[in-house]
Amino acid sequence: MKLQIRRNMMEEVEGLHNEYPYAFHHTDMRETTVPWHWHEALEFGYVVEGRVKVSTTTRTQTLQKGEAYFTNSNALITVENIENCILDSHLFHPIFLSGHFKSVFETKYLNPVIQNKDIDLLCFRGETESQRKLLGKLRQLSQLQSQPDVEFQTRSLIGEIWLFLLSVIQEADSSVYR
């Protein structure tokens, strides 16, 4: 997979379209370079094999098999293979969950995360029950993508994952999400 990066460092996410604002990428990181970039899409990455380093302008984390990360909309990020990494990436535009502009889903559940620039990168290692459930749902979401006609199931699973993300944020720092 080759990333399409504009001069302003914005990635044109392959497979992300207005009629279905979700894309799944199963990537062998040994064959892919992910330079610094950003996109409007929200992203969950799940490490299927190996180890990977994920960096934003404020932090760097190394993740291994069975761990995952979340990067926020418009966060500047780079991803680097550390050791034979296979990475499943789930990218979706916020409207995929919000439905439409100014909906209760957008204002109550999405915007508090998207508009919080302190939340550029979150990692999930299975340290809490919410993290373990989120990781399980990400594995389920990846497996689902090999089947036909899974658009509604995909959106439903991402909704569940988002609720676990909110729980993880609240557990980590209740002042971050109100």
Side-chain angles (χ1 to χ4, degrees), residues 32-108:
T32 302
T33 301
V34 182
W36 285 100
H37 70 285
W38 63 276
H39 39 67
E40 289 182 357
L42 300 157
E43 179 176 356
F44 285 95
Y46 181 84
V47 182
V48 178
E49 292 291 336
R51 294 188 322 134
V52 68
K53 181 168 74 172
V54 183
S55 300
T56 64
T57 56
T58 62
R59 57 187 55 93
T60 297
Q61 295 286 327
T62 300
L63 297 114
Q64 61 188 3
K65 179 179 178 176
E67 298 178 338
Y69 66 87
F70 165 78
T71 56
N72 211 339
S73 179
N74 301 318
L76 196 58
I77 181 175
T78 185
V79 182
E80 180 184 341
N81 178 51
I82 297 295
E83 182 184 331
N84 303 322
C85 182
I86 306 293
L87 185 66
D88 282 351
S89 300
H90 303 275
L91 300 104
F92 58 98
H93 193 278
I95 202 156
F96 191 59
L97 289 182
S98 69
H100 60 83
F101 185 64
K102 297 287 186 196
S103 71
V104 67
F105 305 106
E106 178 184 65
T107 58
K108 186 175 181 180

Side-chain angles (χ1 to χ4, degrees), residues 5-171:
I5 311 277
R6 296 180 185 169
R7 286 183 15 198
N8 67 355
M9 299 174 81
M10 180 183 182
E11 178 189 0
E12 293 181 30
V13 179
E14 182 180 325
L16 199 65
H17 305 288
N18 286 340
E19 57 275 356
Y20 188 57
Y22 166 82
F24 172 67
H25 299 151
H26 181 79
T27 307
D28 185 335
M29 294 299 297
R30 295 170 296 188
E31 301 169 359
T32 302
T33 301
V34 182
W36 285 100
H37 70 285
W38 63 276
H39 39 67
E40 289 182 357
L42 300 157
E43 179 176 356
F44 285 95
Y46 181 84
V47 182
V48 178
E49 292 291 336
R51 294 188 322 134
V52 68
K53 181 168 74 172
V54 183
S55 300
T56 64
T57 56
T58 62
R59 57 187 55 93
T60 297
Q61 295 286 327
T62 300
L63 297 114
Q64 61 188 3
K65 179 179 178 176
E67 298 178 338
Y69 66 87
F70 165 78
T71 56
N72 211 339
S73 179
N74 301 318
L76 196 58
I77 181 175
T78 185
V79 182
E80 180 184 341
N81 178 51
I82 297 295
E83 182 184 331
N84 303 322
C85 182
I86 306 293
L87 185 66
D88 282 351
S89 300
H90 303 275
L91 300 104
F92 58 98
H93 193 278
I95 202 156
F96 191 59
L97 289 182
S98 69
H100 60 83
F101 185 64
K102 297 287 186 196
S103 71
V104 67
F105 305 106
E106 178 184 65
T107 58
K108 186 175 181 180
Y109 299 98
L110 292 167
N111 282 350
V113 174
I114 293 170
Q115 293 174 357
N116 187 333
K117 295 310 168 196
D118 290 333
I119 303 174
D120 60 349
L121 173 66
L122 297 174
C123 294
F124 316 105
R125 302 181 193 281
E127 297 161 340
T128 66
E129 185 64 23
S130 294
Q131 286 188 25
R132 287 187 288 278
K133 288 181 179 179
L134 187 148
L135 290 167
K137 292 294 180 183
L138 283 173
R139 284 190 301 274
Q140 187 179 351
L141 183 60
S142 292
Q143 293 166 354
L144 182 66
Q145 301 314 304
S146 63
Q147 301 172 25
D149 305 319
V150 294
E151 295 85 1
F152 266 111
Q153 292 158 292
T154 296
R155 188 172 68 175
S156 177
L157 269 172
I158 290 177
E160 291 179 53
I161 290 165
W162 194 262
L163 290 175
F164 287 125
L165 171 70
L166 296 179
S167 293
V168 168
I169 292 169
Q170 285 179 319
E171 290 167 357

